[in-house]
Amino acid sequence: MTPTFSSAFLLMIALAPLAGAIITGLFGTGFFGRSVSRKGAHSLTILLVAISFLGSLYALYEVAMNGAYYDQAIYTWTLVGTKVFEVGFLIDPLTALMMVVVTSVSLMVHIYTIGYMVDDPGYQRFFSYISLFTFSMLMLVMANNMLQLFFGWEAVGLVSYLLIGFWYTRDTAIFANMKAFIMNRVGDFGFVLGIGLLFAYTGSMRYSEIFAQAGSLDTLIFPGTDWKLLTVACICLFIGAMGKSAQVPLHSWLPDSMEGPTPISALIHAATMVTAGIFMVARFSPLFELSSTALSFIIVIGSIGALFLGILGIIQTDIKRVVAYSTLSQLGYMTVALGASAYPVAIFHLMTHAFFKALLFLGAGSVIIGMHHDQDIRNMGGLRKYMPITWITFLIGTLSLVGTPFFSGFYSKENVIEAAGLANIWGANFAYWSTLIGVFVTSLYSFRLYFLVFHGKERFDTKPAHGKKHDDHGHHGGVPHESPWVVTLPLILLAIPSIAIGAWAIDPLLFKGFFGDAIVISPEHPAMAELASHYHGWVAYALHAFQTAPFWLMIAGLVTAWYCYIVNPKLPAKVYQAFSGINRILENKYYADWFNENVIARAVRALGGVFWNVGDKGIIDGAIIGGSTRLVGWIAAISRYLQSGYIYHYAFAMIAGVIALITLFVLVN
């Protein structure tokens, strides 16, 4: 008999972070007093997230080693006719892996926050928020139905709004969280339409029942068109993923999310929220596999993000924004893998990326602490001497990000590129070249950041006393220093999987059938089968990389960055001047924000003005409310003349009325 889990055990995993969030939020922020101290807040939330992490580890062990499986309803939320809406859990290999990724990174972020937010007056509130964020993501990945998926989907969006705008006295933070919230609602509109279509034609919200009807859904046509219903539904679902996972054109909110504290930047970019869209598409693989059109749409969108959003990282001067644009590019790589029907590769890259991207963000935060809250990389240089632990761990994260052989990022990223080259759908060729060129771009902006921060001339003595851009309350000046152990410990712990987890996990995740039935790949899409036929072990795979184009493109990016920012640091300024037109386009982020603000937003405001002036003021206030008021006044004005006060006038009116009624009765009959 296949071992399974108890409902109580799964509820413990999901609800432990929620309990920490509620207790800390209510009793540590002044809402119900301040009985939970700063120490109590971090101790309680870390303990409960650690419980959730250990439970997730056990679940993954049982799933991987004993084939454990769980798909049951926990609670019936409501009943509409014969339609049942439930809260339930699905624990399979895909869910178990995501649970470990989410809880492990969240635990590191919780520990890191002790040192990073030590002087912040909103200390307890922040711990409450990040625990709530962890709960929301767990509910999303553990769901066995679309209703609960949507709950978790919206919950991470809500908490991200609170966290991005955590420093709510800043205008930039207010703008950033509103931007993130609104752009995600645009994507979520498509997501709701996709869920609605599937529910309308299957009569169920539960994954297993929907996937069981995939064959019949594949025969249906969207009413009024010649489009396949599944194609429309899948594209709608992916539009939701475009918002959550920051894909073109719904991407521009993610760099602005840097206005929030660095720990939440790491959590949003590495393990929660932005990975939700990737997970969702992998979960719905039985449906996406039946629509080549939807897969082509996905792979083209991912390719654009992988290359062109990565290019924007080359010109950034804020340390966190460089890493943020790296996230946009890497999400594009994951999306390309989804479009190539290489769902295991996408999840594999999601996992490795979670560790090295969390490492890079937390490393950036450590640099910000050491630089007394200056984030401008032009004011850094030579920090390896002052911050040795941050330096070595940041280097490990960088080497993993650029795809250095034997590092974790190499194994997942290389397979993404190969999968794009092996895919047989429209747009795959464009995806292959985009991801290939993206290797050089990634290497260039990553090593540019590394060299400017940790090598070269020390520039921090020349910076102004109070920087305009910072991640905390102010710049205090002084010599850079290494961060406290609560900051460096998570860096060390994240550096380990950034090196080793790729080599350890590649065999089971990609080629040994770890995901089983959790992911469905059609025989018509050969990418995964071709990857398996060329694979001969993690050592041989890494050694072969030295003969491939991605490796030498990575080296080219490294050498270019070294020459431009160490050997000849005056060259980049000359290049920028020579290509000022291109540089202007990049500085304006391809004018995406300009287009959103001056075209989309202006058009929406104009449409709102029309509805307000014509609909609200003209029709509702003017015609309906005002018109009825004037009509009553007119009738009253006329009726007033009929009120003479003489009884014989009223008697005469009654007699005339009776005669009129009798006459009408006689004529009609």
Side-chain angles (χ1 to χ4, degrees):
M1 181 179 177
T2 302
T4 187
F5 305 102
S6 69
S7 300
F9 171 72
L10 298 177
L11 283 170
M12 177 199 71
I13 295 175
L15 298 181
L18 177 63
I22 292 174
I23 296 170
T24 304
L26 294 181
F27 300 99
T29 62
F31 198 87
F32 286 149
R34 295 188 180 273
S35 54
V36 177
S37 65
R38 295 166 72 93
K39 183 178 180 180
H42 71 239
S43 300
L44 178 64
T45 53
I46 289 173
L47 173 63
L48 291 172
V49 171
I51 291 172
S52 186
F53 168 62
L54 293 174
S56 299
L57 271 181
Y58 176 75
L60 180 61
Y61 173 81
E62 286 293 319
V63 167
M65 304 307 295
N66 299 317
Y69 183 82
Y70 185 95
D71 184 10
Q72 293 182 25
I74 302 292
Y75 173 73
T76 298
W77 181 55
T78 190
L79 185 67
V80 181
T82 60
K83 310 301 182 187
V84 181
F85 297 93
E86 299 170 328
V87 176
F89 293 138
L90 168 61
I91 308 300
D92 62 5
L94 178 59
T95 298
L97 182 64
M98 286 295 299
M99 288 164 61
V100 172
V101 171
V102 170
T103 54
S104 60
V105 174
S106 176
L107 181 59
M108 295 298 103
V109 169
H110 274 71
I111 297 171
Y112 179 93
T113 299
I114 298 173
Y116 195 86
M117 302 293 287
V118 63
D119 297 322
D120 197 282
Y123 191 84
Q124 291 100 316
R125 177 166 60 96
F126 189 79
F127 273 99
S128 176
Y129 285 173
I130 58 177
S131 287
L132 185 60
F133 207 13
T134 307
F135 159 74
S136 303
M137 192 66 188
L138 284 173
M139 290 298 290
L140 189 156
V141 300
M142 294 172 69
N144 74 340
N145 62 86
M146 294 189 298
L147 179 67
Q148 190 175 330
L149 171 72
F150 186 70
F151 165 78
W153 193 270
E154 293 302 307
V156 294
L158 171 62
V159 186
S160 73
Y161 170 84
L162 298 173
L163 284 163
I164 295 169
F166 182 79
W167 288 315
Y168 52 82
T169 56
R170 298 183 188 174
D171 292 339
T172 50
I174 296 170
F175 181 81
N177 70 355
M178 287 296 297
K179 186 177 181 179
F181 193 80
I182 292 170
M183 295 195 76
N184 271 274
R185 298 295 72 74
V186 173
D188 292 351
F189 180 70
F191 191 55
V192 169
L193 291 178
I195 290 175
L197 279 173
L198 294 177
F199 177 66
Y201 284 90
T202 63
S204 176
M205 285 284 187
R206 196 160 182 171
Y207 296 154
S208 57
E209 296 175 3
I210 295 170
F211 298 159
Q213 301 182 53
S216 59
L217 288 172
D218 191 37
T219 63
L220 300 177
I221 302 298
F222 189 74
T225 70
D226 57 354
W227 302 340
K228 287 175 60 177
L229 177 73
L230 265 184
T231 296
V232 177
C234 288
I235 289 177
C236 285
L237 290 174
F238 182 68
I239 289 173
M242 288 166 64
K244 273 292 176 288
S245 294
Q247 296 297 298
V248 177
L250 301 178
H251 67 281
S252 60
W253 67 269
L254 192 58
D256 288 356
S257 70
M258 298 302 98
E259 290 297 331
T262 296
I264 197 54
S265 301
L267 201 54
I268 288 177
H269 286 247
T272 62
M273 193 161 178
V274 297
T275 62
I278 308 300
F279 165 80
M280 183 275 294
V281 175
R283 173 61 73 199
F284 282 82
S285 61
L287 304 184
F288 280 91
E289 280 300 280
L290 298 175
S291 176
S292 294
T293 303
L295 292 176
S296 291
F297 180 73
I298 291 171
I299 203 170
V300 170
I301 292 293
S303 309
I304 296 171
L307 176 59
F308 294 99
L309 297 183
I311 291 173
L312 295 179
I314 300 173
I315 66 165
Q316 304 301 315
T317 56
D318 185 309
I319 186 172
K320 287 174 57 178
R321 284 187 175 268
V322 179
V323 187
Y325 279 104
S326 167
T327 301
L328 288 170
S329 178
Q330 297 309 304
L331 287 168
Y333 275 85
M334 299 174 207
T335 305
V336 165
L338 294 173
S341 292
Y343 306 98
V345 175
I347 299 300
F348 183 36
H349 194 48
L350 183 157
M351 180 190 69
T352 61
H353 175 266
F355 292 113
F356 67 70
K357 185 53 55 73
L359 174 59
L360 287 171
F361 262 114
L362 298 186
S366 180
V367 170
I368 293 169
I369 294 173
M371 287 293 297
H372 309 282
H373 305 289
D374 189 351
Q375 295 181 206
D376 195 328
I377 60 178
R378 294 169 297 184
N379 296 333
M380 301 178 189
L383 292 188
R384 72 184 188 280
K385 181 171 65 175
Y386 303 94
M387 309 179 70
I389 298 175
T390 302
W391 162 59
I392 195 65
T393 52
F394 197 95
L395 176 59
I396 290 170
T398 300
L399 292 173
S400 190
L401 168 63
V402 301
T404 308
F406 295 102
F407 284 77
S408 292
F410 158 77
Y411 291 100
S412 55
K413 194 173 182 179
E414 188 82 3
N415 274 285
V416 171
I417 299 169
E418 291 185 15
L422 295 169
N424 60 351
I425 60 171
W426 185 87
N429 192 52
F430 172 65
Y432 174 73
W433 287 105
S434 294
T435 52
L436 193 61
I437 298 169
V439 173
F440 171 80
V441 174
T442 303
S443 180
L444 178 57
Y445 68 66
S446 297
F447 283 110
R448 169 182 176 265
L449 174 63
Y450 170 74
F451 287 133
L452 284 176
V453 173
F454 294 103
H455 293 270
K457 180 182 177 183
E458 298 177 359
R459 297 178 295 275
F460 44 82
D461 289 332
T462 63
K463 64 182 181 290
H466 297 277
K468 295 182 179 180
K469 292 288 288 183
H470 51 77
D471 196 11
D472 206 334
H473 305 291
H475 168 60
H476 309 294
V479 178
H481 58 84
E482 185 62 274
S483 301
W485 73 267
V486 288
V487 171
T488 56
L489 178 62
L491 298 181
I492 296 169
L493 294 177
L494 286 168
I496 297 170
S498 298
I499 297 172
I501 202 166
W504 178 75
I506 184 172
D507 277 6
L509 263 59
L510 301 191
F511 308 117
K512 295 289 180 66
F514 169 79
F515 291 107
D517 296 334
I519 289 176
V520 174
I521 301 175
S522 170
E524 286 77 27
H525 301 137
M528 286 304 302
E530 289 291 325
L531 288 175
S533 68
H534 298 144
Y535 181 74
H536 303 290
W538 64 273
V539 176
Y541 191 77
L543 292 175
H544 176 69
F546 293 100
Q547 308 172 31
T548 62
F551 172 78
W552 292 107
L553 285 169
M554 183 271 289
I555 295 296
L558 164 63
V559 173
T560 303
W562 170 76
Y563 181 79
C564 289
Y565 299 101
I566 299 296
V567 178
N568 188 6
K570 294 181 180 180
L571 180 61
K574 295 178 181 178
V575 173
Y576 289 159
Q577 189 176 2
F579 297 94
S580 58
I582 297 175
N583 188 49
R584 191 176 302 111
I585 293 172
L586 297 180
E587 286 178 343
N588 286 280
K589 297 170 283 189
Y590 304 118
Y591 293 94
D593 284 339
W594 181 91
F595 182 81
N596 288 333
E597 294 170 13
N598 292 279
V599 178
I600 303 296
R602 184 171 293 182
V604 171
R605 288 196 300 270
L607 184 63
V610 171
F611 283 126
W612 177 48
N613 286 297
V614 177
D616 192 25
K617 293 174 64 177
I619 297 176
I620 297 174
D621 290 344
I624 298 176
I625 298 175
S628 61
T629 303
R630 287 191 295 272
L631 179 64
V632 170
W634 179 75
I635 295 173
I638 294 175
S639 302
R640 182 167 61 88
Y641 293 104
L642 301 176
Q643 306 294 327
S644 66
Y646 296 106
I647 294 177
Y648 61 84
H649 285 171
Y650 300 143
F652 177 78
M654 291 174 62
I655 293 169
V658 169
I659 294 172
L661 287 173
I662 293 172
T663 303
L664 180 64
F665 181 79
V666 171
L667 291 173
V668 171
N669 291 282

